[in-house]
Amino acid sequence: MTDDWVNDSIAERRAAEALIVDVDGFEGPLDLLLMLSRTQKVDLRRISVLQLAEQYLVFVEKARELRIELAADYLVMAAWLAYLKSRLLLPPDPGEDGPSGEELAAHLAFQLERLQAMREAAARLMGRDQKGRDFFVRGDPQPLAVSRKTVYDASLLDLMRAYARLRTRDEFRPYAFDRTDIYPLEAALERLSRMVPGAADWTSLQAYLPEGWRGAPARKRSAVASTFAATLELAKQGQIELRQSDTFAPLHLRRRAGQ
Amino acid sequence: MTHPLADSQNKSLFPAPPMAEQERMIEAILFASAAPLTQAEIAARLPHGCDAAEALAHLHRRYVGRGVNLVRVGDAYALRTAPDLAYLMQSERVELRKLSRAAIETLAIIAYHQPVTRAEIEEIRGVALSRGTIDQLLELEWIRLGRRRMTPGRPVTFVVTTEFLDHFGLESARDLPGLRELREAGLLDSRPMPGRAGVDEDGDDAPETGQSELFED
Amino acid sequence: MTHPLADSQNKSLFPAPPMAEQERMIEAILFASAAPLTQAEIAARLPHGCDAAEALAHLHRRYVGRGVNLVRVGDAYALRTAPDLAYLMQSERVELRKLSRAAIETLAIIAYHQPVTRAEIEEIRGVALSRGTIDQLLELEWIRLGRRRMTPGRPVTFVVTTEFLDHFGLESARDLPGLRELREAGLLDSRPMPGRAGVDEDGDDAPETGQSELFED
């Protein structure tokens, strides 16, 4: 007795485990129905939906006996199949609205056939030649080299505005100590140093005054003073020679020989 | 004066290159690219006045039966090695990601029923679609979002991509294996459950509009 | 007996593929390869009995004058796009950008005062001229070097170019509106301060300041 009980229990447990595995392996109630339909060994178009509904209900009943928790959608499907079964078995009630049992059965058969068809289509798709497995792309592609070219744009209006801005700027600028008439010594020294190599002959200091500093007396004075100071500095450094024929006579300078 | 920009701007000044030259230009352009290029993309890189369509036809003929073939992928073109030589390519073979059964089935449903909503995919498979499945297919760039369905809730739809066609060596979604037979058997129809009693149908979303018109030819 | 291993062990049992087939095999292998392959590497991937050297020679001839060529790289082989088509692999993206304030002001000064020296430009603008500004305008071909000024240091001068006139739709630089016209156009809405000569005017340098007198009002 004990042995029997043990054996029964083991068999039961095994069956239960098998069912659990199966339930895990199914992708929903429609998938389970599709598997069950295969046991009928007929074309899906000639399937007996009534028989299928019974098979499903037996499966669910078995699971219940084995205390296997089925997901809700399996139970919903079971309820719907029980309803379908009753509609198929009972003579049609003329007073009842809604689709007939045959219509519902036909739709279930359609769903199963469609799922089956999609399974087959998926298998055929995956069986096709695949990129990277059966055919290959260029192994050493040459990316399109994108070079950026900047085009600067300016309109005539931009140009005119810029010029107008320059010509009127001084009239609007905030007050500042005006040093525009001061020619700095640093500038004169820098300018003169640059020009010395070309000064092989005696040239008047006046000629070395910068552009724009020869007109207005105040500006010219500043330029003369700074340029003169610069010549003294360069003479001291031995870069140039200075010559003056008389007091207040024009000052001449030239590059020192050998420089 | 040979600046490409100048070419396209001064249409009449430069005659189009001879067809043989156009063909070799396209050959070089397609050869250099791993991804398929549309005819428009190719044309944009050719000098003005070229006939990309005709040059592509010439090039296609030239590569018939060669080790490399000119294939059409959607509205694009690419050079690909001939599939019968796959066995020589061991060193180039890339390990394809193992797809779950759900992912493969979902991909097939999208390809054959596109544009298709999530609810429709779930109805066909009879089971809820996990988030990861769609994500995986999106990540592979095999599917993308299509237009929203003009039904209540305006659900998004999914369609397959050029990358999908390229990966499976398809000229277009019309060339999916067995598409015609499936359509003729009515298996691509969207048939609502009679009397609306199904477990996984969403009444609001039951589309009467067939997706299959996309594949009418 | 058809096991691939059997092929290499029983050399005589399986004839080598025809030369045309060997050629297309190499074509596919070189196409898919990420790096050039030596003849030995190619031979190792071909079925037994193939003559890689001869097939390579055939393949080389096939691609002579095509958009893609079989080239030798060291002691290896690769398919490469024809060098004369390299320009197809480049695309130029044109970006439109406004000229900087320094550049447009410098350009305006050159246009209105040409020929003008760097020192004069600096004096008018009141700030030092960066090398980049002049370079940019030279590069745009809107200015060029004029004659050297016949003064100590013989500074270079700048003038505007025909390209400049084309761009701004001018017949000549003399067509640039003068100060009065600028004022009338509302671009210059203040009158010059009375008695102010302006820092850019030179009493004793008039003949050399070129066309600035043209714009006096």
Side-chain angles (χ1 to χ4, degrees), chain C residues 55-204:
Chain C
L56 277 165
H58 281 289
L59 194 64
H60 178 264
R61 276 198 293 281
R62 179 177 294 272
Y63 277 101
V64 166
R66 304 292 318 150
V68 173
N69 303 143
L70 177 61
V71 297
R72 215 184 150 130
V73 185
D75 60 349
Y77 296 86
L79 286 169
R80 293 274 164 84
T81 54
D84 68 306
L85 299 178
Y87 69 93
L88 292 171
M89 307 304 146
Q90 285 154 11
S91 108
E92 212 170 59
R93 199 160 294 164
V94 176
E95 204 174 291
L96 208 63
R97 210 183 279 174
K98 277 275 178 205
L99 217 53
S100 70
R101 183 180 163 135
I104 190 85
E105 286 184 5
T106 302
L107 182 64
I109 293 165
I110 295 170
Y112 276 88
H113 293 262
Q114 66 173 346
V116 64
T117 66
R118 183 189 192 97
E120 287 160 357
I121 296 168
E122 293 185 337
E123 199 173 330
I124 295 172
R125 291 196 61 232
V127 289
L129 194 56
S130 78
R131 176 94 217 146
T133 304
I134 285 288
D135 283 350
Q136 186 184 21
L137 294 173
L138 284 169
E139 208 175 293
L140 284 164
E141 295 183 6
W142 282 349
I143 64 166
R144 61 176 176 82
L145 295 178
R147 288 177 156 197
R148 283 183 182 273
R149 185 68 56 77
M150 284 303 141
T151 51
R154 306 196 55 200
V156 297
T157 62
F158 299 101
V159 294
V160 294
T161 62
T162 314
E163 182 71 27
F164 166 88
L165 298 175
D166 278 352
H167 182 93
F168 291 94
L170 296 164
E171 292 270 317
S172 85
R174 283 167 188 263
D175 293 338
L176 280 166
L179 288 181
R180 189 190 301 133
E181 288 154 293
L182 291 177
R183 183 171 294 121
E184 279 164 9
L187 291 166
L188 203 156
D189 50 11
S190 88
R191 301 189 315 130
M193 273 153 76
R196 186 175 164 81
V199 291
D200 48 339
E201 280 167 297
D202 265 333
D204 62 352

Side-chain angles (χ1 to χ4, degrees), chain A residues 136-140 142-173 178 180 191 195 203 207-208 211-216 219-220, chain C residues 30-34 79 81 88-99 101 104-105 107-109 112-113 120 123-125 136 149 151-153 164 167-168 177 179 182 187-188 190-193 196 202 204-205:
Chain A
F136 298 84
V137 306
R138 170 66 182 150
D140 184 18
Q142 231 177 312
L144 190 61
V146 179
S147 59
R148 257 167 240 283
K149 184 191 175 196
T150 309
V151 170
Y152 286 94
D153 189 37
S155 66
L156 186 58
L157 195 63
D158 294 331
L159 194 72
M160 283 157 34
R161 277 196 180 127
Y163 190 64
R165 191 164 63 225
L166 286 167
R167 293 302 298 257
T168 56
R169 185 184 49 194
D170 289 340
E171 300 162 28
F172 295 114
R173 65 178 182 170
D178 196 343
T180 55
R191 180 178 160 81
M195 293 164 79
T203 318
Y208 288 95
E211 313 261 345
W213 293 82
R214 303 171 187 185
R219 288 167 65 77
K220 190 173 179 182
Chain C
L30 288 179
F31 174 85
S33 177
L79 286 169
T81 54
L88 292 171
M89 307 304 146
Q90 285 154 11
S91 108
E92 212 170 59
R93 199 160 294 164
V94 176
E95 204 174 291
L96 208 63
R97 210 183 279 174
K98 277 275 178 205
L99 217 53
R101 183 180 163 135
I104 190 85
E105 286 184 5
L107 182 64
I109 293 165
Y112 276 88
H113 293 262
E120 287 160 357
E123 199 173 330
I124 295 172
R125 291 196 61 232
Q136 186 184 21
R149 185 68 56 77
T151 51
F164 166 88
H167 182 93
F168 291 94
L179 288 181
L182 291 177
L187 291 166
L188 203 156
S190 88
R191 301 189 315 130
M193 273 153 76
R196 186 175 164 81
D202 265 333
D204 62 352
D205 212 2

